[in-house]
Amino acid sequence: MSTPSETRAPEPDAGTLAATASQYFRDLQARFCAAFEAFEPQSRFEARAWKKPDGHRLQGGGEARLLRGSVFEKVGVNVSHVWGVLAPEARAQVAGAAESEGRFTACGISLVAHMRNPYVPAMHMNLRYLATSRAWFGGGSDLTPTFPIDADTAEFHAALAAACATYRPGAYQEYKAWCDRYFYLPHRQEPRGVGGIFFDDLATGTDGREFAFVRAVGEAVLEVYPRIVARRKDAPYDEAARERLLVKRGRYVEFNLVYDRGTRFGFSTDADPDAYLMSLPPLVRW
Amino acid sequence: MSTPSETRAPEPDAGTLAATASQYFRDLQARFCAAFEAFEPQSRFEARAWKKPDGHRLQGGGEARLLRGSVFEKVGVNVSHVWGVLAPEARAQVAGAAESEGRFTACGISLVAHMRNPYVPAMHMNLRYLATSRAWFGGGSDLTPTFPIDADTAEFHAALAAACATYRPGAYQEYKAWCDRYFYLPHRQEPRGVGGIFFDDLATGTDGREFAFVRAVGEAVLEVYPRIVARRKDAPYDEAARERLLVKRGRYVEFNLVYDRGTRFGFSTDADPDAYLMSLPPLVRW
């Protein structure tokens, strides 16, 4: 991988949960990228580090890694860790930000993989930590196949269910249902994909259980998704299947630009559009 | 062109401005389709007529015409004429609808042309009439080239300026500025294209001047755009130029799904997504 010259912003909260979570997300980014590069004979992730300028209302930075390869047609794995004071108009959108007078810390990892072979499902994962006057984790992961294969769907869900089982009984059923509600296109009356889990507002206690759960999700996805990719990446396909993939990706674009909270929050900020739009597929047909 | 078996919904307002405008929009649809088909050696528009079911809160219908050809990679020319009672939650979005207890009539034509050759600009045109407790016309037309060519931009704007000059002094400057403000992507800090005109809320008087202006815009676009297409359709281009076209189209998708009022209004209704999403380009790269 090409290494940018400047990768780390100074952190205000060394030793805190934010710093620990941020370090985990950066490590997970490196491990996902290594796992994905192992499928690619030639292509490597390109990294782009960014940092909020000194004196800016927001501080911190992040690193976007993008690979366009032969198995992974386009895959982005981004981390960020920012802190500072939210703009007044953004405070209403973030829990506890009114009580913190806008002060916040946020770190997270976002991953979207669009695959060349129509029989390999696209995959999305996001894990994040936010602190204002409160502190909580959120995230999730889900699959979007063009041609759903029951065995792959079941294996992916089983991995997430096992991660959820380490947290508390009922978590998987609840977070699976939340995912199904969230990744749904009302105007098409169809789900984005075959689901996964989605969770938010997991308030952090003193026992580290929420962070342990988030790590369990990250480890589960890192383990199960490459296995599905390995199994399907060489499946034969024809031009008609490829066209179906491009049309399916259009639904993905519609969801992300119209409904996705993270993307729409990005539009309302001065954030780099190439960061919050990294989820958009490489080639799409309508 | 293939003709659908059922094309016309009964109209409640024969002889009114709504009926006259609707008839003009249907004729204009036929004339645009004929002008575009003249460029296509083989492809023809396919027509899909739709009609609100009897007893529905909304009545009327429309006709969507779509051609995927060799010069016009994807072009849609849609007309609709609907009336009835707006859902309570939609009334706040439509001027005068509170005072009419939701009763309205709307008719219009929408046209979006995405061209195969990267040196032919994409073109959008919309003309519409709405009546609630008030009645007004709105609309506009604009060009989105991948590689702006000054001569084409100037010719297109000159045609629109001439149409505006038949309406009132200053109209072109005002509607051009409105178009520039409207078709702008804040998150990219870039315009969608090279502009045109955009206007709304042209309250109808008794002298028919607003309808005459709207017709002048329709005639101007019908005259100037085929001339630009004819001039550029055989321009040589390489794969790199074609790739630039696909990336430029991504910005078009971002605008339409994130900002365009008509598209976003479509998402908030139970309208057919294939109708209000006909503007989306055939093939897009991110």
Side-chain angles (χ1 to χ4, degrees):
Chain A
M1 198 198 71
S2 64
T3 305
S5 55
E6 169 78 65
T7 59
R8 299 283 178 265
E11 288 157 25
D13 42 15
T16 64
L17 185 51
T20 312
S22 180
Q23 183 62 52
Y24 173 71
F25 295 147
R26 289 197 303 259
D27 290 347
L28 190 61
Q29 177 191 44
R31 294 163 66 208
F32 266 108
C33 290
F36 293 168
E37 282 185 345
F39 287 105
E40 294 292 339
Q42 298 188 306
S43 307
R44 292 293 170 262
F45 276 92
E46 297 206 4
R48 190 171 53 78
W50 54 274
K51 187 178 172 303
K52 293 285 180 188
D54 289 342
H56 193 275
R57 191 168 40 75
L58 303 183
Q59 288 294 297
E63 189 173 319
R65 295 188 187 179
L66 187 74
L67 179 149
R68 293 180 187 265
S70 58
V71 174
F72 289 79
E73 190 172 339
K74 179 184 175 188
V75 54
V77 191
N78 293 359
V79 296
S80 66
H81 183 185
V82 294
W83 57 89
V85 181
L86 287 169
E89 61 273 21
R91 289 176 200 180
Q93 298 184 56
V94 180
E99 295 78 2
S100 72
E101 297 177 311
R103 274 193 302 275
F104 80 105
T105 298
C107 60
I109 179 170
S110 285
L111 188 167
V112 178
H114 293 288
M115 312 304 290
R116 193 171 301 273
N117 188 308
Y119 296 100
V120 185
M123 190 271 281
H124 158 257
M125 186 193 78
N126 171 258
L127 302 172
R128 60 187 179 271
Y129 170 80
L130 266 92
T132 55
S133 60
R134 312 167 44 210
W136 70 98
F137 284 97
S141 183
D142 62 288
L143 285 188
T144 306
T146 303
F147 303 100
I149 300 173
D150 287 347
D152 296 348
T153 303
E155 186 173 341
F156 186 75
H157 274 274
L160 294 174
C164 290
T166 68
Y167 183 47
R168 67 169 168 76
Y172 167 68
Q173 287 74 12
E174 186 181 320
Y175 300 159
K176 175 184 186 300
W178 199 343
C179 185
D180 288 342
R181 283 196 306 276
Y182 184 80
F183 292 107
Y184 184 78
L185 288 80
H187 66 287
R188 299 271 183 195
Q189 301 188 332
E190 64 185 42
R192 185 173 83 168
V194 297
I197 59 170
F198 185 101
F199 54 92
D200 205 354
D201 303 312
L202 304 189
T204 57
T206 53
D207 57 3
R209 293 186 67 249
E210 288 70 30
F211 184 33
F213 167 59
V214 162
R215 291 198 307 274
V217 172
E219 300 303 315
V221 174
L222 178 59
E223 203 265 328
V224 70
Y225 186 62
R227 215 158 60 213
I228 294 171
V229 173
R231 184 189 307 147
R232 304 297 173 194
K233 73 183 172 64
D234 298 317
Y237 64 88
D238 58 14
E239 198 49 43
R242 175 80 184 164
E243 288 298 306
R244 289 276 297 276
L245 168 65
L246 301 191
V247 169
K248 179 71 178 173
R249 285 177 177 170
R251 309 296 188 258
Y252 204 92
V253 173
E254 291 174 20
F255 179 84
N256 282 31
L257 293 183
V258 178
Y259 302 110
D260 187 65
R261 293 192 311 192
T263 307
R264 295 202 64 83
F265 185 75
F267 283 115
S268 72
T269 68
D270 60 353
D272 175 9
D274 288 331
Y276 60 82
L277 295 180
M278 71 96 173
S279 63
L280 297 181
L283 194 66
V284 182
R285 190 178 290 289
W286 273 282
Chain B
M1 199 197 71
S2 63
T3 306
S5 54
E6 169 79 65
T7 59
R8 299 283 177 265
E11 289 156 25
D13 41 15
T16 65
L17 184 51
T20 312
S22 180
Q23 184 62 52
Y24 173 72
F25 295 148
R26 288 197 304 259
D27 290 347
L28 190 60
Q29 178 191 43
R31 294 163 66 208
F32 266 109
C33 290
F36 293 168
E37 282 185 347
F39 288 105
E40 293 292 339
Q42 299 189 307
S43 306
R44 292 294 169 260
F45 276 91
E46 299 207 2
R48 190 171 53 79
W50 55 273
K51 185 178 171 302
K52 294 285 180 188
D54 289 341
H56 193 274
R57 191 168 40 75
L58 303 183
Q59 289 294 296
E63 189 173 319
R65 295 189 188 177
L66 187 73
L67 179 150
R68 292 180 188 265
S70 58
V71 174
F72 289 79
E73 190 172 340
K74 180 185 174 189
V75 54
V77 190
N78 294 358
V79 296
S80 66
H81 183 183
V82 295
W83 58 88
V85 181
L86 287 169
E89 61 273 20
R91 289 177 200 180
Q93 298 184 57
V94 180
E99 295 78 2
S100 72
E101 296 178 310
R103 275 194 301 276
F104 81 104
T105 298
C107 61
I109 179 170
S110 285
L111 188 168
V112 178
H114 293 287
M115 311 304 291
R116 193 171 303 272
N117 188 309
Y119 295 100
V120 185
M123 190 270 283
H124 158 258
M125 186 193 76
N126 172 258
L127 302 172
R128 58 186 180 273
Y129 170 80
L130 266 92
T132 55
S133 60
R134 312 167 43 207
W136 69 98
F137 283 97
S141 182
D142 61 288
L143 285 189
T144 306
T146 303
F147 303 100
I149 299 173
D150 288 347
D152 297 348
T153 303
E155 186 173 341
F156 187 74
H157 274 273
L160 295 174
C164 290
T166 67
Y167 183 47
R168 67 167 168 78
Y172 167 68
Q173 287 73 13
E174 187 182 320
Y175 300 159
K176 175 185 187 299
W178 199 344
C179 185
D180 289 341
R181 283 197 305 277
Y182 184 80
F183 292 107
Y184 183 78
L185 288 81
H187 66 287
R188 300 272 183 194
Q189 301 186 330
E190 65 186 40
R192 185 173 82 168
V194 296
I197 58 171
F198 185 102
F199 53 92
D200 205 355
D201 303 313
L202 304 188
T204 58
T206 52
D207 57 3
R209 293 187 65 250
E210 288 70 31
F211 184 31
F213 167 59
V214 161
R215 291 198 308 273
V217 172
E219 301 303 315
V221 174
L222 178 58
E223 202 267 327
V224 70
Y225 186 62
R227 215 158 60 213
I228 294 171
V229 173
R231 184 188 307 147
R232 304 297 173 195
K233 74 184 173 62
D234 298 317
Y237 63 88
D238 58 14
E239 199 48 44
R242 175 79 185 164
E243 288 298 306
R244 288 275 297 277
L245 168 64
L246 301 191
V247 169
K248 179 71 178 172
R249 286 176 177 171
R251 309 297 189 257
Y252 203 93
V253 173
E254 291 174 19
F255 180 85
N256 283 30
L257 293 183
V258 178
Y259 302 110
D260 186 67
R261 293 190 313 190
T263 308
R264 296 202 63 83
F265 184 75
F267 284 115
S268 72
T269 68
D270 62 353
D272 175 8
D274 288 331
Y276 60 81
L277 296 180
M278 71 94 170
S279 63
L280 297 181
L283 195 65
V284 182
R285 189 178 292 288
W286 273 281

